[in-house]
Amino acid sequence: MAPTDIRQWVTAQDGLENLKLETAPHPPQDEGEVLVKTKCVSLNYRDTEVCMGLYGHHKGMAKADMIVPCSDICGTIASENSQFKIGSRVMAIFNQTHLTGQIKAKNMASGLGLPLPGVLTEYRSFPASALVEAPAHLSDEEASCLPIAAMTAWMAINWNEPLGRHAQGDGKKSVLLQGTGGVAISGLLIAHASGFKTIITSSSDAKLEKAK
């Protein structure tokens, strides 16, 4: 049984050093929502910008008084529902209302970790439509890294491909990756798996060696 109260981290967007651990009421489930128990949360550069009050890339992203940060999660289903079994491992999509097609301005209002409360919490409720099952071959840590970085890389490579078919490099096409951050490394793995030649840049020889 889920606890009455939960623990969660919150930020007033006034610095990483001011993150606070607090106790909060257990989240309710509205109609169509599913309760998820957090197993692992991955960190994106965006999360540091939010906590430091520097995330202003999109109109309408006003500073919240206090907000739970972070957006990428792997967790387990903790409430009865018609779509997932109890205990199933799931990931949450970043913009909760962006389910298909080109993202629109209205979808930006559904981003986890700003403007919506994020996932650095023990439990969170999500619309069932905004959850997907985690790949069975990935650990909780690995699966939690997919929603933003890996999906951004996937879309950059496959945005012009028909639904259900991914780009094929056939050893003849090349993909240029700038830097060695999460999106670039995800793109490197996807490009390799899709048969592309890859070119990656970095100011660090050590990182380039790892990229090989």
Side-chain angles (χ1 to χ4, degrees):
M1 180 179 293
T4 303
D5 294 320
I6 63 169
R7 293 177 301 167
Q8 61 185 18
W9 289 93
V10 295
T11 175
Q13 300 181 70
D14 56 352
L16 293 169
E17 69 279 7
N18 293 318
L19 274 167
K20 296 179 181 178
L21 182 63
E22 68 172 21
T23 299
H26 194 277
Q29 288 89 66
D30 293 331
E31 184 176 355
E33 289 191 333
V34 180
L35 182 67
V36 174
K37 181 179 180 180
T38 302
K39 299 290 287 184
C40 191
V41 172
S42 68
L43 300 177
N44 294 284
Y45 185 71
R46 175 186 188 273
D47 302 321
T48 66
E49 289 189 312
V50 169
C51 290
M52 296 169 67
L54 301 176
Y55 192 78
H57 307 299
H58 304 283
K59 292 181 179 179
M61 290 290 188
K63 289 183 66 174
D65 291 336
M66 295 293 285
I67 191 167
V68 177
C70 299
S71 56
D72 284 4
I73 181 178
C74 179
T76 53
I77 298 296
S79 66
E80 296 287 347
N81 66 95
S82 60
Q83 189 166 335
F84 301 99
K85 293 181 180 179
I86 296 286
S88 295
R89 293 196 316 145
V90 293
M91 305 171 297
I93 63 175
F94 170 46
N95 288 304
Q96 298 275 279
T97 61
H98 180 214
L99 304 181
T100 186
Q102 179 64 41
I103 193 168
K104 296 179 172 58
K106 63 180 182 180
N107 298 129
M108 301 306 296
S110 68
L112 295 174
L114 192 73
L116 295 186
V119 299
L120 203 57
T121 179
E122 289 184 303
Y123 287 86
R124 193 189 190 286
S125 296
F126 298 91
S129 59
L131 297 171
V132 294
E133 288 202 32
H137 67 285
L138 296 181
S139 67
D140 294 339
E141 292 83 359
E142 291 167 334
S144 72
C145 293
L146 293 182
I148 285 187
M151 282 304 301
T152 299
W154 174 268
M155 290 302 296
I157 294 172
N158 292 283
W159 68 275
N160 202 33
E161 296 298 317
L163 188 65
R165 191 178 78 191
H166 64 83
Q168 296 286 341
D170 301 320
K172 300 176 182 179
K173 301 176 183 177
S174 297
V175 172
L176 172 63
L177 304 128
Q178 296 178 291
T180 50
V183 174
I185 294 301
S186 295
L188 179 66
L189 295 171
I190 293 168
H192 269 303
S194 302
F196 287 92
K197 296 179 180 178
T198 55
I199 305 166
I200 188 165
T201 66
S202 175
S203 60
S204 168
D205 290 339
K207 290 182 178 179
L208 287 176
E209 189 62 31
K210 286 185 177 181
K212 292 180 181 180

